[in-house]
Amino acid sequence: MSYVTNLKCRECGQEYPIKPLHVCEDCFGPLEVSYDYAKIRAAVSRAAIAARPHNLWRYRELLPVDGEPEAGPFSGFTPLLPARRLGAELGLKKLYIKDDTVNHPTLSYKDRVVSVAITKARDFGFSTVSCASTGNLATAVAAHAARAGLKSVIFMPEGVEAGKIVGSSIYGARVITIRGNYDDVNRLCSEIADKYGWGFVNINLRPYYTEGAKTFGFEVAEQLGWKLPNHIVLPTAGGTILPKVAKAFKELKEVGLVHGGEFKIHCAQAAGAAPVIHALHKNTDLITPVKPDTIAKSIAIGNPADGFYVLRAVRESGGWGEMASDPEIIDAIKLLARTEGIFAEPAGGTTLAVTLKLIAAGRIKADESVVVSITGNGYKTLEAVANSIEPPLVIEARLKDFDAIYESLGDGKRSLKGVA
Ligand SMILES: *Cc1c(COP(=O)(O)O)cnc(C)c1O
Ligand SMILES: [Zn+2]
């Protein structure tokens, strides 16, 4: 049973059938999936959702699928961690980390969007799927395609981290790196998508793909006991996840799963790729493309496809946005790791670094509930912090060599309680 009605142009409202289409023929606006919310309202309940498996399909009434989805049986439903030690350092009483560093199977938020896109690719009968990627999308498409029995061809800009290349090729994907940045890759892929009959998850399957990002927001609300947080801070690259989390929160109210509650949604970008933040701060709708230059490669997009909708969602909610420099990103990665035991990739460092700025500016207050969105795993981007950690001490396997360094470990006063 599906509650999807059709595709609809976000700009002029023109309707289209459920097909691999993504732009309006009349006005070139982006197409989005529409639902029959009255029917969904009658069909869903908190109890029914609670009884379902812990994956993103527990919200299937609000996703564009019919029948049992085949992709992503363990994707989504990642932890929402109360962050007490980090909260104490930041002076916040109700701080949570939404932790997509442990999303199955490729350790980023992209497992959500790709679960939906690959399900639709199967429905539409594509045998090859593809994407333009800054890295995490690549690994997700490659892995989910492998499991669905589809071929995959992946396009990335040169210079992405080794973990993203190895982590795509290993699944049997054909990886092509382009001499240029993500925006060059994306332009080429649009041409390829027009010419060859492939399912590009973030081009001709984009309306379905982007709907998967709503599950990040659905989970946050369910995990807070069907309440919305006062604040949620999200990173922006192409501009998918931020407006879709805002849409998710609104849909939950619309179908009666959440009763009221205002939320502010805040945008985080790396200073070296911050076209949306520049527009926000200049109070304009005009997003001027930039040439990305940052260690936060997974969010290094200079000309975001949905940047306008990020601005709109942020402004509508009364939220704000800031950017973080590379050193601030690294400090925040270390802060999160040291206080909460979570190793984020630079996108997560960006989000936390921006949260610190929002607190300092008084936009987030001590007793408000705050969700910091950690969207990718640091084990895939070791290069970013490899030179910013304390190198290991190297000694011979001799007790007297250890004795010589023991004092320097700074733990001399601990009692030997429990040691026989
Ligand atoms: C893709 C990505 C994002 C956000 O990208 P959007 O295109 O704005 O949805 C954030 N964090 C990580 C780790 C990503 O891979
Ligand atoms: Zn249109």
Side-chain angles (χ1 to χ4, degrees):
M1 176 82 188
S2 170
Y3 300 89
V4 170
T5 53
N6 49 29
L7 290 177
K8 201 174 194 172
C9 174
R10 293 187 71 161
E11 294 307 318
C12 75
Q14 177 67 38
E15 297 180 353
Y16 294 87
I18 296 298
K19 290 219 175 113
L21 297 171
H22 68 116
V23 278
C24 176
E25 284 166 14
D26 293 346
C27 76
F28 302 107
L31 304 184
E32 189 171 45
V33 176
S34 289
Y35 301 85
D36 183 339
Y37 290 120
K39 251 201 208 159
I40 296 173
R41 196 183 174 93
V44 295
S45 70
R46 293 177 179 179
I49 291 171
R52 290 177 181 165
H54 284 173
N55 64 35
L56 58 90
W57 301 113
R58 63 205 269 111
Y59 314 102
R60 72 173 79 106
E61 286 86 353
L62 289 160
L63 294 171
V65 290
D66 334 277
E68 275 310 302
E70 282 169 71
F74 295 96
S75 299
F77 217 78
T78 57
L80 182 75
L81 273 99
R84 298 204 179 85
R85 280 170 42 77
L86 178 61
E89 290 216 9
L90 271 49
L92 297 181
K93 297 198 191 80
K94 288 179 273 182
L95 175 64
Y96 299 87
I97 303 294
K98 178 61 175 167
D99 186 10
D100 265 15
T101 67
V102 291
N103 216 336
H104 187 272
T106 64
L107 311 178
S108 88
Y109 121 75
K110 297 301 196 301
D111 285 313
R112 303 173 180 280
V113 281
V114 171
S115 294
V116 179
I118 295 289
T119 297
K120 294 310 284 185
R122 292 281 309 255
D123 282 0
F124 292 137
F126 288 108
S127 55
T128 298
V129 289
S130 189
C131 66
S133 173
T134 54
N136 284 319
L137 182 58
T139 62
V141 168
H144 289 265
R147 192 169 184 280
L150 302 173
K151 286 200 199 79
S152 62
V153 182
I154 307 294
F155 297 86
M156 283 185 273
E158 64 182 350
V160 298
E161 301 91 344
K164 310 277 173 72
I165 300 210
V166 178
S168 304
S169 310
I170 197 71
Y171 301 107
R174 197 73 192 99
V175 174
I176 299 167
T177 60
I178 307 292
R179 295 189 194 98
N181 59 36
Y182 173 82
D183 302 287
D184 301 316
V185 176
N186 196 42
R187 208 173 332 104
L188 172 66
C189 285
S190 298
E191 290 170 0
I192 296 171
D194 282 346
K195 182 160 176 186
Y196 299 93
W198 292 351
F200 270 84
V201 303
N202 54 345
I203 301 175
N204 51 4
L205 297 170
R206 190 170 179 85
Y208 313 99
Y209 159 95
T210 57
E211 285 292 286
K214 293 189 305 188
T215 62
F216 193 94
F218 295 150
E219 290 172 16
V220 166
E222 184 182 356
Q223 290 166 322
L224 288 173
W226 296 109
K227 287 199 172 67
L228 304 183
N230 297 130
H231 301 273
I232 183 164
V233 189
L234 285 149
T236 286
T240 293
I241 189 169
L242 189 147
K244 289 293 176 167
V245 168
K247 184 182 181 192
F249 287 169
K250 285 188 212 162
E251 284 184 341
L252 292 177
K253 292 191 202 175
E254 175 88 32
V255 303
L257 287 168
V258 163
H259 308 299
E262 296 302 314
F263 64 91
K264 287 193 166 76
I265 196 160
H266 306 282
C267 174
Q269 291 202 294
V276 174
I277 298 301
H278 296 312
L280 183 73
H281 289 184
K282 275 194 254 167
N283 199 24
T284 169
D285 277 347
L286 200 74
I287 294 173
T288 309
V290 300
K291 208 161 183 254
D293 179 16
T294 168
I295 57 161
K297 293 181 193 291
S298 64
I299 52 169
I301 293 185
N303 189 13
D306 290 323
F308 169 74
Y309 299 103
V310 173
L311 285 174
R312 199 159 78 180
V314 166
R315 287 177 180 143
E316 251 180 41
S317 78
W320 188 240
E322 289 292 346
M323 55 192 157
S325 68
D326 287 355
E328 289 169 336
I329 292 169
I330 291 170
D331 283 350
I333 292 172
K334 292 165 87 174
L335 174 64
L336 181 64
R338 172 168 69 71
T339 55
E340 296 298 333
I342 296 170
F343 184 10
E345 71 143 87
T350 304
T351 309
L352 180 55
V354 164
T355 306
L356 301 186
K357 294 186 181 193
L358 295 169
I359 296 167
R363 291 181 184 273
I364 292 176
K365 308 233 158 50
D367 53 351
E368 295 176 321
S369 58
V370 182
V371 173
V372 174
S373 308
I374 301 299
T375 46
N377 194 307
Y379 290 109
K380 278 160 98 178
T381 57
L382 293 175
E383 296 92 329
V385 289
N387 295 325
S388 310
I389 51 145
E390 283 226 16
L393 296 167
V394 182
I395 61 170
E396 300 299 329
R398 277 189 304 245
L399 184 58
K400 79 173 172 44
D401 285 30
F402 178 75
D403 289 343
I405 62 161
Y406 176 71
E407 287 300 328
S408 78
L409 299 178
D411 198 27
K413 291 202 184 67
R414 178 174 292 175
S415 78
L416 294 180
K417 197 165 57 178
V419 177

